[in-house]
Amino acid sequence: MIYSVIVDLSANEVDRIFDYKGEGYIVGTRVLVNFGNRQTEGYIIEEKQNSDYDPNKLKEIIRPLEDFPAISSEMLSLGKYMRDEYHLRWADILRLFIPAEMRGSRVKSLFKQQVRLSVDDSLDKILDSLKPNATMQRDLVTFLYLNGATLAETLNSEFGSSALRALKQKGIVETQDIVVRRTPYKNMGSGVNLRHTLLSSQQRAVDTVLSDRTGKYLLHGVTGSGKTEVYLTVIEKIVAEGKTCIMLVPEISLTPAMLKQLRDRFGDTVALIHSGLSAGERYDEWLRLKNGEAQIAIGARSAVFAPLTNIGAIIIDEEHDSSYVSDFNPRYNTVDVAEFRANQSGALLLLGSATPSICSYYNAKCGKYKLIEMPERINKQPLPKVEIVDMRTETRKGNKGIFSSVLRDRLEQTLREGNQAMLFLNRRGYSSFLMCTKCGYVAKCTDCDVTLTVHREDNRLKCHYCGKPYYMLDKCPNCKSDSFRQGKIGTQQVVEQLSKLFPDVKVLRMDADTTQTKESHGKILEAFRKGEAQILVGTQMIAKGHDFPKVTLVGILDGDQSLYHQDYLATERTFQLITQVAGRSGRDKDVGTVVLQTYTPTHDCLLLAARQDYKSFYEMEINIRRPSHFPPFSEIIRILYTGEKEKDCIDQLTEQYAQIIDLKTRYVQAFYYLDKMRCPLKRAEKKFRFQILIKLSTDSVKEILPQIYSVCDGKKRNGVQIFVERNPQNLS
Ligand code: ADP
Ligand code: ZN
Ligand code: ZN
């Protein structure tokens, strides 16, 4: 038999099918093959009778790497789809489908010794055969008799290793190797099945979703409307029918909270796919899904590749979140992938959000998704009241600090009432830059076109793009002056100022710097939930999903921050962020307040966000996008060129740009826009960055995109990487 094999090397030169000979392999199996003058891993993606190559010259597959096909036929079809859609290398796609450590056999199942009694006699009879003073041996036997087979390590720590050894020698007990699953967040999930009686709005949502098991739904429910309970009920129903489910959440920081709720209700049938797990945990959770021990997969975007068959539902919470679009190789859109998998297995797709992306809401309006609305909060509370504070007036009044007088008053009141507050600022570190007041020198990363952020805790400057740390400057390297001005305030400084303002109040901070270990997210959130601190300061990490009943005040310190980015998504992002952050307030009995500080208090986006008026915002935004041909009325294609040699990048871009112009002359109607330029982020990690930006009419994408891909496949210069992105969420 002949097998088509993809070798597991991520390089353009080998990104094609190689034929091998072999016997009895199942398609999807990972195998070891001779390739060039070495051995490498590969994936069998097809079985066939004939090869285009001389069959006598074909090499034999050396051996399988596992005794099961790691990649199912469904996943192979998904791979083909992703290859057509995103033009990714085969190896990069297939790697998404398995736990990283499976490659190179860096992880195996964990085996442990299990001990059991090897004689079938009564306890008394066994004990009679032991010396009366062999207490440990007697206790061990009794224990086994009562509890059945037990891990050797448990017995050793309980009764000492010599007891076990002696019993084994006497033939009273025997051992056997068994596979033990490593479980992430072992103690999370109480097993207590907290179940709410559905409110009529939730019941209606569930009924609609279940009315058509292959439907696609957009659940637009305001913050606190009880979307999670809808998800759980749908999952319960689908699993009861013997099908499997995938539940996606936008960020790793939100997975523990959702995991807990799922485990509470569904116990061991839930498996977590999460990049922060240990290699062994990740492998075991994947295996549990693969072999049907677990039926529910939960995780951030990579969980969309969970190795499940017979999928009944795919649910994407906070569907608008930009993290669902991967912005590094391999680049893909999670919602598209989910849709493909749902179609493939006849599953339902449920997208949920309080602030759906403009494109999804448009799709719902056009009938591509069925729209379900939950316009009210569970507690019947009104949405929190948002006070917009004009920071220009504050400055005029002489308040140079980061807290307006309104926010200070509200903070005091909240603390006095024994409630909690959250302060949101999407800038971590102490301050955004360091500038010499004499000559204007600004400290920048040597590898990126990014100004360095001041970090006070370890007294360093850091690049927030590549993470590189630098020593703090005591003198300007340019003019030797020692007088510096610092840029905008970051979360570290907010905490510092709070401790001056309220010396007795405990403050927690949650941002990328305080959450570097796997458990740290959970610890901070848990401490805050328990009331160990009264104020939580954080970046966008605290904006989403969290449900803290005691929070009655949310302060948004810099509401304009994302508004003035150059790309077309800026207003949408600002609206989403403010609505989400505001939604953290007043989720229980007390009415919530939100203080929104801004320098542009009359901006429509902020006014609508303050009223949390999604529909008006949608109308406003869609009416801007329609005449200007932005998505959903077009598709944006970005071809990104990066490389350490600037000239090579420019030359490569210029060659291909000429070909794209040819393409445009053939399809004048389809090109709404075409231009070439430096990327806004000019250099990153030592590489220069250039781009061709294209806006295509949506109905022409199918025809033109393959031609753009083939332009990019043309002659390549060494050291220049070319990436094509469809509707990128990050245009930096
Ligand atoms: P959303 O995800 O829509 O923002 P959540 O799902 O977090 O909202 O629900 C908000 C709060 O309401 C949670 O504390 C949840 O436990 C509670 N809740 C949900 N459904 C019900 C219900 N039917 N009855 C009472 N409380 C509910
Ligand atoms: Zn200077
Ligand atoms: Zn850098």
Side-chain angles (χ1 to χ4, degrees):
M1 197 58 85
I2 309 231
Y3 294 100
S4 308
V5 170
I6 299 294
V7 293
D8 195 5
L9 302 168
S10 172
N12 290 327
E13 304 74 54
V14 298
D15 182 32
R16 54 195 170 86
I17 288 168
F18 294 93
D19 286 352
Y20 284 86
K21 282 190 296 199
E23 234 28 87
Y25 287 96
I26 303 173
V27 173
T29 304
R30 296 195 325 121
V31 290
L32 193 68
V33 291
N34 280 308
F35 187 75
N37 49 12
R38 61 169 158 160
Q39 294 189 343
T40 172
E41 297 185 352
Y43 309 81
I44 297 180
I45 65 158
E46 203 187 341
E47 176 186 87
K48 52 192 181 187
Q49 301 293 340
N50 302 306
S51 172
D52 296 340
Y53 299 93
D54 178 357
N56 296 318
K57 287 197 183 143
L58 291 186
K59 291 181 211 158
E60 287 274 343
I61 291 174
I62 301 173
R63 62 178 171 85
L65 289 163
E66 286 95 19
D67 55 9
F68 60 91
I71 303 199
S72 65
S73 54
E74 282 104 331
M75 293 309 276
L76 281 175
S77 322
L78 173 63
K80 290 193 183 101
Y81 161 80
M82 290 177 72
R83 188 161 165 88
D84 292 343
E85 200 75 358
Y86 308 118
H87 202 55
L88 303 172
R89 288 189 286 257
W90 263 117
D92 292 336
I93 296 172
L94 294 170
R95 284 175 186 184
L96 289 169
F97 298 170
I98 57 171
E101 298 80 8
M102 220 164 129
R103 301 170 41 237
S105 306
R106 280 169 290 150
V107 68
K108 289 264 182 306
S109 289
L110 177 65
F111 287 93
K112 285 191 174 169
Q113 266 196 345
Q114 195 189 49
V115 184
R116 60 180 178 207
L117 291 170
S118 43
V119 285
D120 206 12
D121 300 330
S122 71
L123 179 59
D124 285 342
K125 192 154 177 227
I126 308 176
L127 290 177
D128 282 346
S129 68
L130 296 170
K131 287 198 191 109
N133 62 351
T135 341
M136 285 303 191
Q137 295 183 33
R138 298 177 73 89
D139 288 353
L140 198 159
V141 165
T142 313
F143 182 91
L144 276 184
Y145 192 85
L146 296 175
N147 295 287
T150 306
L151 287 182
E153 62 184 37
T154 315
L155 297 174
N156 283 338
S157 69
E158 200 74 14
F159 307 101
S161 55
S162 53
L164 181 56
R165 222 176 305 123
L167 288 168
K168 219 171 138 181
Q169 263 161 18
K170 291 178 188 149
I172 296 174
V173 303
E174 61 193 16
T175 58
Q176 163 193 28
D177 284 341
I178 58 153
V179 175
V180 201
R181 298 274 180 241
R182 290 151 284 202
T183 313
Y185 299 99
K186 218 181 221 137
N187 303 321
M188 181 173 276
S190 55
V192 180
N193 198 341
L194 240 186
R195 190 185 295 267
H196 297 292
T197 314
L198 296 188
L199 298 182
S200 58
S201 57
Q202 292 170 316
Q203 188 64 53
R204 235 176 295 124
V206 169
D207 290 345
T208 311
V209 171
L210 293 176
S211 67
D212 173 6
R213 298 297 161 86
T214 58
K216 299 187 173 41
Y217 306 92
L218 175 63
L219 172 59
H220 174 215
V222 297
T223 52
S225 58
K227 294 186 286 298
T228 314
E229 196 64 37
V230 172
Y231 303 149
L232 295 177
T233 312
V234 169
I235 294 176
E236 188 163 37
K237 188 81 186 165
I238 297 292
V239 171
E241 289 167 4
K243 296 194 179 161
T244 62
C245 296
I246 299 178
M247 169 89 230
L248 302 179
V249 289
E251 271 192 62
I252 285 176
S253 67
L254 286 177
T255 24
M258 187 62 83
L259 176 70
K260 180 178 177 317
Q261 300 202 48
L262 285 171
R263 281 228 187 114
D264 282 348
R265 188 153 314 177
F266 304 110
D268 281 346
T269 59
V270 181
L272 175 63
I273 298 210
H274 188 309
S275 59
L277 304 184
S278 74
E281 289 170 345
R282 201 163 16 189
Y283 178 73
D284 285 356
E285 290 288 85
W286 183 87
L287 218 52
R288 289 203 310 129
L289 291 164
K290 174 93 181 154
N291 62 25
E293 280 172 53
Q295 286 90 46
I296 304 166
I298 178 205
R301 78 174 167 235
S302 62
V304 78
F305 303 113
L308 288 167
T309 49
N310 194 19
I311 301 172
I314 304 180
I315 300 175
I316 305 185
D317 191 23
E318 316 274 359
E319 65 85 28
H320 62 275
D321 197 89
S322 61
S323 70
Y324 287 124
V325 179
S326 155
D327 59 3
F328 51 84
N329 182 46
R331 293 169 159 82
Y332 61 89
N333 180 336
T334 311
V335 177
D336 293 347
V337 172
E339 207 168 311
F340 181 89
R341 290 199 79 179
N343 287 340
Q344 187 182 44
S345 16
L348 65 88
L349 177 68
L350 172 55
L351 311 178
S353 176
T355 51
S357 75
I358 296 289
C359 291
S360 294
Y361 203 75
Y362 176 80
N363 281 336
K365 291 228 149 177
C366 300
K368 185 180 169 200
Y369 303 141
K370 191 175 262 175
L371 184 63
I372 306 170
E373 308 256 11
M374 297 207 298
E376 278 180 23
R377 287 190 145 187
I378 286 284
N379 55 8
K380 294 280 179 257
Q381 289 286 4
L383 286 166
K385 187 172 162 304
V386 180
E387 291 177 74
I388 297 187
V389 175
D390 185 349
M391 289 306 276
R392 295 170 306 183
T393 330
E394 289 289 317
T395 320
R396 242 175 273 135
K397 280 194 281 185
N399 176 5
K400 293 208 185 73
I402 185 147
F403 306 118
S404 59
S405 48
V406 176
L407 181 55
R408 265 202 317 260
D409 291 349
R410 293 276 176 273
L411 267 172
E412 260 163 37
Q413 186 191 345
T414 305
L415 297 170
R416 205 173 335 112
E417 289 168 353
N419 286 320
Q420 289 179 304
M422 285 167 87
L423 296 183
F424 170 79
L425 176 65
N426 210 5
R427 195 182 300 114
R428 66 192 174 91
Y430 189 82
S431 63
S432 62
F433 62 78
L434 198 64
M435 182 197 258
C436 168
T437 50
K438 283 251 166 59
C439 76
Y441 166 90
V442 177
K444 274 192 164 190
C445 179
T446 52
D447 299 344
C448 312
D449 175 39
V450 168
T451 56
L452 296 176
T453 303
V454 179
H455 280 249
R456 261 299 144 73
E457 285 175 344
D458 42 4
N459 204 29
R460 288 281 157 94
L461 298 170
K462 282 181 195 161
C463 171
H464 278 190
Y465 190 86
C466 69
K468 198 165 165 180
Y470 295 79
Y471 288 117
M472 197 67 185
L473 296 177
D474 46 8
K475 273 201 217 78
C476 170
N478 202 25
C479 73
K480 305 286 177 270
S481 143
D482 60 0
S483 148
F484 289 102
R485 186 166 81 76
Q486 295 195 9
K488 292 199 167 156
I489 290 175
T491 46
Q492 289 179 5
Q493 200 169 165
V494 174
V495 174
E496 185 185 277
Q497 295 202 8
L498 280 172
S499 67
K500 283 185 194 141
L501 217 51
F502 306 106
D504 305 327
V505 170
K506 182 104 179 45
V507 179
L508 283 165
R509 194 181 98 219
M510 185 155 143
D511 54 30
D513 298 308
T514 60
T515 51
Q516 296 194 338
T517 62
K518 179 172 85 181
E519 313 274 340
S520 46
H521 291 108
K523 280 197 186 133
I524 298 173
L525 295 173
E526 203 44 42
F528 190 58
R529 184 181 306 281
K530 284 199 199 127
E532 286 167 25
Q534 286 71 57
I535 305 177
L536 176 64
V537 175
T539 55
Q540 101 285 349
M541 263 184 204
I542 65 168
K544 295 170 212 156
H546 306 298
D547 189 30
F548 297 113
K550 296 239 34 128
V551 170
T552 55
L553 173 66
V554 163
I556 301 168
L557 298 181
D558 190 352
D560 316 294
Q561 199 190 345
S562 54
L563 200 50
Y564 295 102
H565 287 189
Q566 295 151 2
D567 72 71
Y568 76 99
L569 291 165
T571 15
E572 180 175 355
R573 294 255 174 277
T574 305
F575 182 87
Q576 286 162 350
L577 204 55
I578 291 177
T579 314
Q580 293 286 342
V581 183
R584 299 312 113 210
S585 184
R587 291 172 70 91
D588 201 25
K589 289 177 276 307
D590 298 317
V591 184
T593 330
V594 179
V595 176
L596 169 59
Q597 301 188 159
T598 166
Y599 288 89
T600 48
T602 56
H603 196 293
D604 283 333
C605 172
L606 298 184
L607 292 174
L608 292 171
R611 295 212 311 265
Q612 296 167 68
D613 183 353
Y614 177 81
K615 285 189 182 158
S616 304
F617 174 73
Y618 169 79
E619 289 304 330
M620 178 182 93
E621 191 60 20
I622 205 85
N623 286 326
I624 294 172
R625 296 203 194 171
R626 192 178 286 115
S628 55
H629 294 303
F630 274 105
F633 304 102
S634 68
E635 195 159 311
I636 293 188
I637 313 286
R638 161 158 99 158
I639 315 176
L640 186 64
Y641 300 82
T642 72
E644 293 193 16
K645 298 210 175 96
E646 191 170 18
K647 183 164 179 305
D648 287 348
C649 293
I650 296 174
D651 291 347
Q652 179 82 66
L653 178 145
T654 312
E655 279 164 26
Q656 298 192 343
Y657 189 64
Q659 298 175 50
I660 304 269
I661 287 189
D662 286 347
L663 204 57
K664 184 181 165 187
T665 37
R666 276 191 287 137
Y667 297 95
V668 180
Q669 300 294 323
F671 279 74
Y672 294 141
Y673 177 88
L674 170 65
D675 207 354
K676 59 177 168 37
M677 66 208 76
R678 272 184 200 275
C679 297
L681 177 64
K682 299 185 192 72
R683 194 166 160 262
E685 291 175 278
K686 297 192 173 144
K687 289 180 178 153
F688 290 93
R689 305 170 88 245
F690 293 86
Q691 64 188 15
I692 295 177
L693 274 185
I694 304 167
K695 243 194 279 176
L696 287 181
S697 76
T698 43
D699 50 6
S700 65
V701 173
K702 256 207 150 50
E703 189 172 349
I704 297 180
L705 191 62
Q707 304 188 52
I708 293 178
Y709 283 147
S710 78
V711 167
C712 298
D713 276 344
K715 203 168 112 289
K716 288 208 175 77
R717 276 158 205 274
N718 274 343
V720 181
Q721 274 92 46
I722 306 170
F723 301 102
V724 183
E725 294 177 310
R726 296 181 63 175
N727 290 331
Q729 297 290 297
N730 179 353
L731 281 157
S732 63

